[in-house]
Amino acid sequence: MAIVNLGLVVVEAVGYFALMVSLLHFRHRLGLGVFMTALGVMHFLETYLAAVFYVSLPFGVASPGSSVFFAGKLMMILMLYLQEDASTVRQPIYGLFLGNLLTVAIAWILQLHETVEISPGNAADFSFLKEMGWLMVWGTALLYVDSLGIILLYERLGHWLKRKVIFRFMLCGFALLTFDQIGFFGALHYFLDVPLAAFWDGWRAKMFAVCIYTALFAFYRLYIHRNGVPAAARSLSDLFGDLTFRERYNDLLERTGRDMLTGVYDRSRMELEAPVMMREALRQGQFMTVVIIDADHFKDVNDNFGHLQGDEVLKGIASRLAAILRSADRVFRFGGEEFVAICPGTDHEEGLLVAERLRWAIATSVRTPDGRPVTVSIGVATADADGVSFTTVLSTADHRLYQAKKNGRNCVFGRTGPVNVS
């Protein structure tokens, strides 16, 4: 039976190594988070097995949780350091330690509940949960020290064994897992009264595991890492890849053509989108209104208060425009203190009402640094009565904006003249 158990331990070690190294090897394709999450998920099982699950091996009694999985985790952390750097290695260690502290805290809070046993013999075992929590915290603290130690020792051995990477890997495993066995066995003996004989059996099992992992590491380094793995074609069924690509593409598209100061779209984006919006509106037999907004006496703001204060005024105007216009509308910074709003599916009368709301909202909410209201003049034109091309309609709206300026400013000028004069 001991031989069968030994064979199963070898299979477990090979399986663990193969899975974790695969996640590490393809980290640039899958992301390093997959590797780190797998390390974390295994931690509770490792601690549980190390506390209660033991099997007979030819060299004594040992736990696969401690000899296979915990030893494998430490060797994986060293491999992560070899592939990345120390700042990356600390991330899973800190995550494990904080997660285990939270486990202990929750276990302590759970004991304050008065539980109900809904099935005979299945009452909550809070003492076990507490013991496991503290063992996990102690094991993670040891793992933190082990991780620093194995990296420092690996670097120190490099002064004498610079080209013998595999041999250094094995020596580091022997040294740090011996240290870990002393520390973790002390906790097992204190919390669970594990006998002293288990220390030597567990130590021999960990040394055996280091030999297995070193052989697998040598195979990986000599035949896989060196030669690489041919890149597989991207599968069409890779849903996560599709979603990630789409999200990044949409985010990039959304941020492209934005005015850096106000956050609205810029003129280049307008010149691309507006003609398409107009053609689509006319194709569907709908109106489309173009509104040009210009801040009155904006030069005086810059001259009297400086350009930074002028920028704040522009941001305030853009904010009011974005708050009032519909989601289907588009607002662009046309240049300087001018903005263009495009409202598809909006006829001329509706466009005038929207423009008047914009004028009123800006006049009542945007102020210069000395408290005076900021006013705007607005010109409105609508396709198809004012033209069937965007350039023509924009030119008509711009002409009406000029008329609004001549009319005394702070007003909306449409096809029939001023809508409001203050």
Side-chain angles (χ1 to χ4, degrees):
M1 182 52 107
I3 298 298
V4 173
N5 286 333
L6 182 64
L8 291 174
V9 165
V10 173
V11 170
E12 290 162 359
V14 172
Y16 181 88
F17 184 90
L19 173 62
M20 300 307 296
V21 167
S22 297
L23 296 178
L24 184 60
H25 188 77
F26 292 105
R27 65 194 181 280
H28 297 300
R29 184 180 301 176
L30 298 173
L32 195 56
V34 179
F35 172 81
M36 291 185 175
T37 302
L39 279 182
V41 168
M42 292 293 295
H43 192 69
F44 182 84
L45 179 62
E46 293 164 12
T47 308
Y48 173 75
L49 293 178
V52 301
F53 189 87
Y54 288 82
V55 296
S56 175
L57 300 174
F59 39 76
V61 175
S63 170
S66 179
S67 59
V68 176
F69 300 121
F70 189 86
K73 174 178 288 183
L74 185 60
M75 306 313 288
M76 285 299 108
I77 286 174
L78 179 56
M79 286 193 66
L80 177 62
Y81 171 73
L82 296 178
Q83 300 292 331
E84 295 287 337
D85 52 33
S87 63
T88 302
V89 170
R90 70 182 178 182
Q91 296 177 34
I93 306 305
Y94 289 161
L96 287 168
F97 188 70
L98 293 174
N100 291 332
L101 284 178
L102 181 61
T103 300
V104 174
I106 291 175
W108 181 80
I109 294 172
L110 287 174
Q111 293 177 83
L112 303 178
H113 286 284
E114 289 189 12
T115 60
V116 176
E117 187 175 332
I118 60 174
S119 60
N122 287 318
D125 190 348
F126 290 115
S127 61
F128 173 75
L129 190 59
K130 266 204 322 184
E131 290 173 352
M132 286 296 301
W134 285 116
L135 280 173
M136 289 172 69
V137 171
W138 178 239
T140 307
L142 280 175
L143 181 61
Y144 179 74
V145 176
D146 292 342
S147 302
L148 293 179
I150 202 168
I151 291 168
L152 292 174
L153 181 59
Y154 181 85
E155 292 296 332
R156 178 66 61 179
L157 291 175
H159 294 296
W160 300 283
L161 304 169
K162 188 172 184 179
R163 298 182 181 275
K164 300 184 183 298
V165 175
I166 297 172
F167 188 51
R168 287 160 64 191
F169 183 87
M170 182 176 66
L171 289 180
C172 290
F174 285 152
L176 269 299
L177 281 167
T178 297
F179 166 80
D180 179 82
Q181 178 67 6
I182 295 171
F184 195 68
F185 174 80
L188 290 178
H189 182 71
Y190 178 79
F191 284 109
L192 302 175
D193 293 324
V194 175
L196 182 61
F199 169 81
W200 294 109
D201 291 347
W203 178 79
R204 284 189 286 267
K206 285 183 176 178
M207 298 303 102
F208 179 69
V210 171
C211 294
I212 296 175
Y213 288 127
T214 301
L216 294 171
F217 173 69
F219 176 81
Y220 168 76
R221 187 171 180 83
L222 296 175
Y223 296 101
I224 299 178
H225 180 67
R226 175 181 295 178
N227 299 324
V229 176
R234 182 174 176 273
S235 171
L236 293 177
S237 62
D238 184 2
L239 177 61
F240 289 104
D242 291 338
L243 290 173
T244 300
F245 174 80
R246 188 181 308 156
E247 288 167 358
R248 290 179 179 175
Y249 173 76
N250 289 336
D251 179 63
L252 178 63
L253 185 63
E254 182 66 18
R255 289 186 286 110
T256 301
R258 288 278 184 181
D259 176 59
M260 295 297 293
L261 175 65
T262 62
V264 302
Y265 295 119
D266 61 17
R267 183 168 181 169
S268 63
R269 184 75 175 258
M270 182 188 75
E271 292 173 349
L272 289 173
E273 287 194 0
V276 176
M277 293 173 68
M278 178 160 288
R279 286 196 300 269
E280 184 62 20
L282 295 176
R283 186 185 68 81
Q284 296 180 8
Q286 295 180 344
F287 298 103
M288 190 177 89
T289 293
V290 176
V291 180
I292 299 185
I293 305 103
D294 184 85
D296 297 327
H297 304 296
F298 184 73
K299 184 177 183 298
D300 294 342
V301 177
N302 283 333
D303 291 344
N304 294 330
F305 305 105
H307 289 278
L308 291 179
Q309 292 299 325
D311 289 346
E312 292 302 315
V313 168
L314 292 177
K315 290 178 184 178
I317 293 174
S319 175
R320 299 313 301 155
L321 296 177
I324 292 174
L325 293 170
R326 304 165 303 179
S327 60
D329 301 333
R330 286 283 190 274
V331 58
F332 306 88
R333 187 179 178 191
F334 191 45
E337 67 272 22
E338 284 189 335
F339 296 85
V340 173
I342 298 177
C343 307
T346 304
D347 63 24
H348 196 68
E349 293 302 319
E350 292 172 329
L352 293 175
L353 293 175
V354 170
E356 177 58 23
R357 284 184 61 203
L358 294 173
R359 186 202 65 78
W360 181 85
I362 292 169
T364 56
S365 63
V366 182
R367 295 282 187 271
T368 59
D370 61 353
R372 290 184 300 168
V374 173
T375 64
V376 294
S377 300
I378 302 177
V380 181
T382 306
D384 60 355
D386 291 317
V388 293
S389 72
F390 174 70
T391 302
T392 303
V393 177
L394 181 65
S395 178
T396 302
D398 190 48
H399 175 71
R400 290 171 184 165
L401 171 63
Y402 177 72
Q403 295 289 90
K405 294 285 189 182
K406 287 180 61 177
N407 199 60
R409 294 183 172 85
N410 191 23
C411 67
V412 175
F413 212 93
R415 193 175 297 150
T416 60
V419 174
N420 178 69
V421 179
S422 299

